[in-house]
Amino acid sequence: MLVSDAEILQTALDWHTRGRKVAIATVIETWGSAPRPVGSQLVVDADGHFVGSVSGGCVEADVIADALDVIADGQPCMREFGVSDETAWRAGLSCGGRIKIFVARVDLIHARALSELCALERARHASVLVTDIATGALRIVSDSELEQDPLGIQLRAHLSRGKSGLVEATGRSLFLRVNVPRLRMIVLGAVHIAQALAPIAKLAGYDVTVIDPRSAFATQERFAGVNVIVEWPERVFVDQRLDRYTAMVVLSHVPAIDDPGITAALAADCFYIGALGSRKTNAARLDRLRGQNISEAALARIHAPIGLDIGAASAGEIAIAIIAEVIASKRQKPLRFEEAA
């Protein structure tokens, strides 16, 4: 089963709390075609049990061995793997990729930091774990503390991109491990496309909630394993806080369902807002929203018609086009045809 970054950290904390000796391996730098991004982690206990991944391949075996040594002697270590290693082909590094991995034991100080990180994640606050590579010393900076921190500019830049990385500061090499709340997708309209979209979005790492006041549509039978709310969105969003780690996907074609979700998403600065419908339908929608004094700059953030233009026709194809556009928006990566323009 795939596990999220938050679940990996929670596992490390749980194991340590239960008295198990634990180490965490973290990818701190990559070059070329590395199989896992910077910030990927592997948690290992003294019996060799592990959760997470740093390479997706046989490098894990060597990293687990290193973690066992670190657990035994308490000294952090650094390892680098690349194309010249005999395990490179099996680990997915055969195209010239290299990865550098930092392994450290979870002591009491590290456990307190893990507890704080998990609490911040549950409260849907972003944070950065700053680790001094030379000493293993660490500290946490939450998104509300960026302005006062001496590394504030660098921390904000990494948080905005959602990417961890190494930086040099005051002559020291520091690793910035970005921790953000679990991504959410709110789907308005328990329609056929939503049935196809929900499992794809979950596979991509999103917590999915489907909202529709029509009880005949919004059922657990139609959306097995998905959080379904049978209510009008305007009532839901009184209590359910949206944020910039939320994608709003509007599918119902019913203005009384769709429009309150769009206005709430714009006010909360959700990273993605998309709405189903033809260009004519979207023009009418924009006119209604202008009537609520929503600015043109805000309206320009709405992706409509929703999804990448790949000629999608079936519900499954449209769902794929939607999740592709959501991912592109989150990663802030220009599409290839935009780069060529």
Side-chain angles (χ1 to χ4, degrees):
M1 184 180 73
L2 295 175
V3 293
S4 67
D5 290 346
E7 289 169 330
I8 291 171
L9 293 179
Q10 186 65 56
T11 296
L13 179 60
D14 291 345
W15 285 359
H16 181 273
T17 301
R18 294 201 293 265
R20 294 160 73 170
K21 296 179 179 179
V22 180
I24 298 179
T26 305
V27 178
I28 65 168
E29 203 166 9
T30 65
W31 302 265
S33 115
R36 296 284 291 144
V38 171
S40 298
Q41 293 186 311
L42 179 74
V43 175
V44 183
D45 75 359
D47 294 323
H49 300 114
F50 65 93
V51 172
S53 175
V54 290
S55 77
C58 289
V59 163
E60 260 76 4
D62 289 336
V63 174
I64 290 169
D66 292 333
L68 295 176
D69 290 340
V70 168
I71 289 171
D73 63 26
Q75 298 301 311
C77 78
M78 187 83 69
R79 285 292 303 273
E80 186 174 324
F81 300 90
V83 69
S84 61
D85 296 327
E86 63 180 17
T87 57
W89 282 91
R90 290 175 292 164
L93 300 172
S94 56
C95 293
R98 288 187 294 148
I99 56 175
K100 184 180 286 187
I101 297 172
F102 179 70
V103 187
R105 188 170 69 179
V106 176
D107 56 16
L108 286 175
I109 295 175
H110 203 152
R112 292 192 192 103
L114 289 175
S115 180
E116 184 178 348
L117 288 173
C118 291
L120 287 168
E121 197 277 337
R122 287 193 297 271
R124 296 196 64 78
H125 286 290
S127 63
V128 181
L129 177 65
V130 182
T131 303
D132 188 317
I133 295 301
T135 65
L138 47 83
R139 63 188 182 91
I140 296 171
V141 183
S142 70
D143 52 6
S144 63
E145 300 170 327
L146 296 178
E147 299 300 329
Q148 295 77 37
D149 196 272
L151 294 176
I153 294 176
Q154 292 163 297
L155 296 176
R156 185 175 295 281
H158 279 267
L159 267 180
S160 66
R161 297 194 306 269
K163 291 185 177 181
S164 304
L166 281 171
V167 299
E168 297 294 325
T170 62
R172 307 197 71 83
S173 182
L174 306 176
F175 181 66
L176 309 183
R177 175 50 162 80
V178 170
N179 302 279
V180 299
R182 189 172 172 87
L183 297 175
R184 295 187 301 186
M185 178 179 289
I186 307 295
V187 181
L188 300 187
V191 297
H192 192 37
I193 295 171
Q195 287 181 284
L197 177 62
I200 298 173
K202 289 179 67 176
L203 183 62
Y206 288 78
D207 286 336
V208 180
T209 297
V210 176
I211 302 173
D212 197 317
R214 300 169 294 184
S215 57
F217 287 77
T219 67
Q220 285 296 333
E221 289 77 16
R222 299 183 75 235
F223 293 91
V226 176
N227 182 33
V228 178
I229 300 177
V230 186
E231 186 56 274
W232 292 96
E234 60 186 339
R235 294 178 182 172
V236 175
F237 297 137
V238 170
D239 299 317
Q240 183 164 318
R241 184 170 65 93
L242 303 176
D243 54 38
R244 61 193 183 95
Y245 302 101
T246 303
M248 179 67 68
V249 176
V250 177
L251 302 177
S252 83
H253 275 308
V254 179
I257 297 175
D258 293 349
D259 292 3
I262 293 174
T263 55
L266 288 170
D269 196 27
C270 291
F271 79 86
Y272 176 87
I273 306 168
L276 185 68
S278 66
R279 297 188 188 280
K280 181 179 179 180
T281 297
N282 185 53
R285 178 189 296 119
L286 293 178
D287 284 341
R288 293 195 304 271
L289 295 173
R290 289 187 185 99
Q292 300 181 44
N293 296 318
I294 296 176
S295 70
E296 292 299 320
L299 295 178
R301 296 190 53 226
I302 302 170
H303 296 263
I306 197 170
L308 295 185
D309 186 5
I310 59 173
S314 68
E317 289 176 347
I318 295 170
I320 291 169
I322 292 171
I323 194 64
E325 188 171 62
V326 170
I327 292 170
S329 296
K330 185 68 188 76
R331 299 302 180 191
Q332 301 179 24
K333 181 176 176 58
L335 303 178
R336 288 179 182 175
F337 69 84
E338 292 176 345
E339 293 174 331

